[in-house]
Amino acid sequence: MRSNRLSLSVCAAVLAALCAAAGCSTRAQNQAPAPPPVEVTEVAAADVPIYAEYPAQTYARNMVEVRGRVEGYIEKWLFKPGDEVREGQPLYGLDLRPYEAAVQQATGNLKQTEADLQYARQQVSLLQAQANLAVAQANLVKAQQDYERLKPLVEQDAAAKQDLDTATAALRASEANVRASQANVDQARLQTTTQIQSTEGKVDAQRGLLATANLNLQYGTIQAPIAGLVGDTLVPVGGLVTPNAAQPLTTIVPLDPIWVRFKISESQYLAYKRRLHDQMPLELLLADETTFPQHGRIENTQNQVDPRTGTLELQASFPNPQHTLLPGQFGRVRFQTEDRKNAILVPQRAVQQIQSMQTVYVVGPDNKAQARPITTGDRSGESWIVTKGLQPGDRVVVEGQLRVRPGMLVRPIPYRAAGR
């Protein structure tokens, strides 16, 4: 009897548990899940600047090869590869002894020639010839006086005719001596003038040789022709430097400004031609996605379109006072191409690409999400310009699209971009 009562109690307990479980399951089925939260942004029309971006690379337009101007062996380096050097800074020191000896020799030759010029200018031989001419002229005067004194005496038979003949011969001899002395003076003057001019020419030549020797001595210390970043040396200490060597000693690249080249298509060039001028500011986006703080400008445009690629190369310069940029770096050049009026922007992350179709989720007044196809145009920063499919005031889902299905009830919350 007792056993039967225990069995009835167990059955009642199991039945109650089953009923309770059935009731809980029914309540769970009747309770609807909470709508998922999504971040939305309300699109609006605004004036938007449109930018174009092109792959670019920096380069050194005025790179200089450092070469020796005289022959010699390198005794020492005066720089380290990668140093920033200034114009005129010594880079290499050659063995200067041959050039110092050449300077001394040229100096001695110049002094010797200057002494010869000084002697020539004193006109010693000319002075001697002029003195002889003066003596001959004095003798001629005396002979003339003797002749004139004896001639009337001989005519009056007061003196012997032989004395007059002697005086006449002396007069003729004195006249000939004067003429000879005058010829000697003219010859000495010509010789002196020629000697002076010739010696002056030698002095000028010796001065030129001395200047060349001093210049070669200066060239024995090879200096940086421009300021910039110096590269690795290609000739070791002890190596021979020659002016006509095939390879340079090193290279120097100027870093301020830094030059950038990029290419645009022919159609883009025609579309942007009115805006492509030397005053148009350019931005440079670096490989780490940062923007270079200095603005550049277009300096040159190639004179023809490349027929193989259909592109035109443009060259721009950017101030680089801190020498942040180096030749050979890659980046992107960006510049404004137009101002788009009343454009509708939507964040790029809100757009879903399904094959060739772009869609966004739009939350209606009833907080239900609907997929809507759109057509996008240019990009503006982190947003797309929507040309078709959206109207000002539409609420577009930016975050949480993966939890949404068309027609699903959602809980919209305002979207806040990173950094805002």
Side-chain angles (χ1 to χ4, degrees), residues 220-285:
T221 301
I222 301 175
Q223 300 176 344
I226 62 172
L229 196 68
V230 64
D232 196 4
T233 184
L234 302 179
V235 181
V237 173
L240 178 64
V241 175
T242 57
N244 56 352
Q247 66 178 5
L249 299 175
T250 186
T251 57
I252 299 177
V253 292
L255 298 180
D256 187 20
I258 192 73
W259 286 77
V260 177
R261 55 163 61 100
F262 62 99
K263 295 182 178 181
I264 63 176
S265 67
E266 180 181 0
S267 60
Q268 292 167 340
Y269 171 72
L270 295 175
Y272 304 153
K273 186 175 181 180
R274 288 181 298 178
R275 290 181 175 265
L276 294 175
H277 53 81
D278 57 0
Q279 300 300 323
M280 181 181 65
L282 303 180
E283 294 182 351
L284 182 61
L285 305 180

Side-chain angles (χ1 to χ4, degrees), residues 152-174:
L153 294 176
V154 170
E155 291 177 350
Q156 297 174 6
D157 294 330
K161 187 175 184 301
Q162 183 178 2
D163 293 337
L164 179 61
D165 293 339
T166 302
T168 302
L171 177 60
R172 300 291 180 265
S174 297

Side-chain angles (χ1 to χ4, degrees), residues 83-144:
D83 285 349
E84 292 186 11
V85 297
R86 65 184 183 278
E87 182 179 353
Q89 178 176 333
L91 301 179
Y92 297 91
L94 304 183
D95 183 4
L96 301 179
R97 291 174 296 178
Y99 301 106
E100 292 172 345
V103 170
Q104 292 177 354
Q105 182 179 4
T107 302
N109 293 337
L110 176 60
K111 290 181 178 180
Q112 177 66 41
T113 309
E114 287 177 340
D116 294 341
L117 177 61
Q118 183 66 26
Y119 177 81
R121 285 175 174 171
Q122 291 177 357
Q123 304 181 7
V124 175
S125 59
L126 177 60
L127 294 176
Q128 182 64 44
Q130 290 174 341
N132 294 334
L133 175 61
V135 172
Q137 289 173 339
N139 292 333
L140 176 60
V141 170
K142 182 178 181 301
Q144 184 69 36

